[in-house]
Amino acid sequence: MPYCEVGKTQNAVDAALNNGIQIYYRTYGHGPIKVLLITGLAGTHDSWGPQIRGLAGTDRANDDETTAVDRESDGANNEVGGIEVCSLDNRGMGRSSIPTKKSDYSTRIMAKDAIALLDHLGWKKAHVFGHSMGAMIACKMAALVPDRILSLALLNVTGGGFECCPKLDRKTLSIAIRFLKAKTPEQRAAVDLDTHYSEEYLEEFVGSDTRRVILYQEYVKGITASGMQSNHGFEGQINACWRHKMTRAEIDLIRSGGFLVSVIHGRQDVIAQINHARRLAEKLQPVARMVEFHGGHLVTHERTEEVNQALLELIKASEMKMSPHDWSNFPKKRSEASNRATVERETNIIIAKIHVFLVCLISLFMTVFKYGRSSLQRLKPVRVGASSPK
């Protein structure tokens, strides 16, 4: 099994903290171009399946001894040449180590896991693509080692903290409650579909069945095979998302890193709201391009061809040393309209903070109600008889 022992390639301080931590990974395809794929919350390395096939030209892992790999055909279906792709399970999920302490999880710590993996593979530089929590990790990684980043793709990203909270409406509140209550692969699969895809996509017919029916069966099979995420892993990764924040200094390091950035997002994403991604893309000017598609949180699966094309364009532009000003699709000059947009974004931040307060208030109420009802059920009535005459 391909594992990276994190502590072996780190400095003395990090090695001591990460002693025994192993990161599971797979590599696909062959070629001079290296791409690291970092998955999101509760995802495993194969969550990138459509992108692995689109970039590497194969879904057969390089360490798979049961099949012969035709190296000459790998990557032949794209315009940038041979690509070798590596995808990993983040700590807390899949076959990677699952630390039990919340303090062992942060996007910075997981970024160092990814850097250790690059060292383990012998990759001096790589194109780094992250999805959701993986995009937060990719941001930290790019700020830590900008000299090792060839390009950066941030898919369905947020800025962490309150930005991880979905819109406060009936649909997303229902999804959140169902997600927390899911105990079986069937329950988890049902809520994952509503979390990952737009409703229009799920209700489209493919043959005699809707995509919802087809994907539900695939999800149950996949979750059953890989197992439900452990409580330690889930709580740790949630903690990492909540604590994530990109400082101005880190943003500046990415902007001045000498590489291009694509911020790719689905407009119907109910988990990572697109206005947060737009704001991040604007902060990263002039090196970032904003790419929007009709799709949900898992836009990588819902709009596979379009996303893969956007990623290949990023790789090609980076290989051609395209100027950031030619790459960015943001307006070159600040106008009155952009001033209004800034005011609107600042207003959205205030609304989002109020939203977080309301979510916390509702969660507190639900918790108090739950335990209050349990306590009442445990109380037994005491019968009091008539007092005896003196």
Side-chain angles (χ1 to χ4, degrees), residues 160-275:
F162 73 87
E163 291 187 11
C164 296
C165 296
K167 292 181 180 179
L168 187 59
D169 56 27
R170 182 179 298 178
K171 178 180 179 181
T172 54
L173 187 59
S174 171
I175 289 174
I177 293 172
R178 288 163 56 207
F179 182 84
L180 293 173
K181 292 173 64 176
K183 303 298 181 185
T184 67
E186 290 77 13
Q187 292 172 335
R188 180 61 184 273
V191 70
D192 277 357
L193 292 180
D194 290 327
T195 303
H196 291 164
Y197 303 100
S198 66
E199 189 171 350
E200 299 92 327
Y201 182 76
L202 290 174
E203 300 310 320
E204 286 181 2
F205 275 86
V206 179
S208 58
D209 290 321
T210 63
R211 279 201 179 91
R212 183 184 294 274
V213 173
I214 298 170
L215 288 171
Y216 174 77
Q217 296 168 348
E218 293 178 1
Y219 268 53
V220 171
K221 183 179 178 181
I223 295 170
T224 302
S226 61
M228 296 280 285
Q229 187 176 22
S230 71
N231 289 335
H232 291 308
F234 176 71
E235 292 172 2
Q237 290 190 350
I238 284 287
N239 183 59
C241 292
W242 185 252
R243 291 168 54 200
H244 173 78
K245 182 181 180 181
M246 293 298 294
T247 66
R248 181 175 297 180
E250 289 173 323
I251 293 292
D252 288 342
L253 284 169
I254 295 175
R255 291 174 64 247
S256 61
F259 50 85
L260 303 177
V261 181
S262 277
V263 180
I264 302 172
H265 215 93
R267 297 189 191 94
Q268 286 69 44
D269 190 341
V270 299
I271 300 299
Q273 298 180 54
I274 194 169
N275 58 304

Side-chain angles (χ1 to χ4, degrees), residues 9 37 67 117 211 226 231 314 360 384:
T9 63
L37 302 176
T67 58
L117 178 55
R211 279 201 179 91
S226 61
N231 289 335
L314 174 60
C360 293
V384 180

Side-chain angles (χ1 to χ4, degrees), residues 26-42:
R26 306 298 293 275
T27 60
Y28 306 81
H30 302 274
I33 299 173
K34 310 299 183 183
V35 176
L36 180 67
L37 302 176
I38 308 178
T39 193
L41 175 72

Side-chain angles (χ1 to χ4, degrees), residues 4-292:
C4 166
E5 293 187 26
V6 174
K8 282 190 173 182
T9 63
Q10 296 183 326
N11 60 44
V13 175
D14 288 332
L17 294 173
N18 292 312
N19 184 32
I21 297 294
Q22 292 186 319
I23 299 299
Y24 180 80
Y25 69 93
R26 306 298 293 275
T27 60
Y28 306 81
H30 302 274
I33 299 173
K34 310 299 183 183
V35 176
L36 180 67
L37 302 176
I38 308 178
T39 193
L41 175 72
T44 56
H45 66 280
D46 50 8
S47 300
W48 284 103
Q51 283 62 57
I52 292 171
R53 290 188 290 273
L55 297 175
T58 180
D59 56 6
R60 296 177 297 182
N62 291 338
D63 65 322
D64 188 350
E65 298 178 355
T66 62
T67 58
V69 179
D70 182 4
R71 298 192 175 201
E72 294 182 359
S73 66
D74 290 345
N77 62 338
N78 63 63
E79 300 176 1
V80 298
I83 299 176
E84 183 176 5
V85 173
C86 178
S87 184
L88 66 144
D89 292 351
N90 291 310
R91 62 169 65 198
M93 186 56 190
R95 299 180 184 180
S96 290
S97 298
I98 304 175
T100 57
K101 299 178 183 176
K102 283 186 180 180
S103 58
D104 288 334
Y105 295 85
S106 73
T107 51
R108 183 182 177 87
I109 290 172
M110 288 189 274
K112 289 185 177 182
D113 289 345
I115 295 168
L117 178 55
L118 288 188
D119 294 336
H120 173 80
L121 293 170
W123 291 5
K124 293 182 178 180
K125 294 188 176 186
H127 300 272
V128 178
F129 303 161
H131 176 265
S132 192
M133 181 187 74
M136 301 181 202
I137 296 169
C139 281
K140 288 291 183 182
M141 184 179 177
L144 285 168
V145 288
D147 58 317
R148 302 188 68 175
I149 309 298
L150 292 172
S151 73
L152 184 67
L154 308 174
L155 296 93
N156 296 80
V157 68
T158 76
F162 73 87
E163 291 187 11
C164 296
C165 296
K167 292 181 180 179
L168 187 59
D169 56 27
R170 182 179 298 178
K171 178 180 179 181
T172 54
L173 187 59
S174 171
I175 289 174
I177 293 172
R178 288 163 56 207
F179 182 84
L180 293 173
K181 292 173 64 176
K183 303 298 181 185
T184 67
E186 290 77 13
Q187 292 172 335
R188 180 61 184 273
V191 70
D192 277 357
L193 292 180
D194 290 327
T195 303
H196 291 164
Y197 303 100
S198 66
E199 189 171 350
E200 299 92 327
Y201 182 76
L202 290 174
E203 300 310 320
E204 286 181 2
F205 275 86
V206 179
S208 58
D209 290 321
T210 63
R211 279 201 179 91
R212 183 184 294 274
V213 173
I214 298 170
L215 288 171
Y216 174 77
Q217 296 168 348
E218 293 178 1
Y219 268 53
V220 171
K221 183 179 178 181
I223 295 170
T224 302
S226 61
M228 296 280 285
Q229 187 176 22
S230 71
N231 289 335
H232 291 308
F234 176 71
E235 292 172 2
Q237 290 190 350
I238 284 287
N239 183 59
C241 292
W242 185 252
R243 291 168 54 200
H244 173 78
K245 182 181 180 181
M246 293 298 294
T247 66
R248 181 175 297 180
E250 289 173 323
I251 293 292
D252 288 342
L253 284 169
I254 295 175
R255 291 174 64 247
S256 61
F259 50 85
L260 303 177
V261 181
S262 277
V263 180
I264 302 172
H265 215 93
R267 297 189 191 94
Q268 286 69 44
D269 190 341
V270 299
I271 300 299
Q273 298 180 54
I274 194 169
N275 58 304
H276 300 315
R278 289 171 180 157
R279 184 165 59 253
L280 177 60
E282 186 168 356
K283 288 180 181 178
L284 292 172
Q285 291 311 302
V287 300
R289 171 182 288 189
M290 186 72 203
V291 184
E292 301 178 14

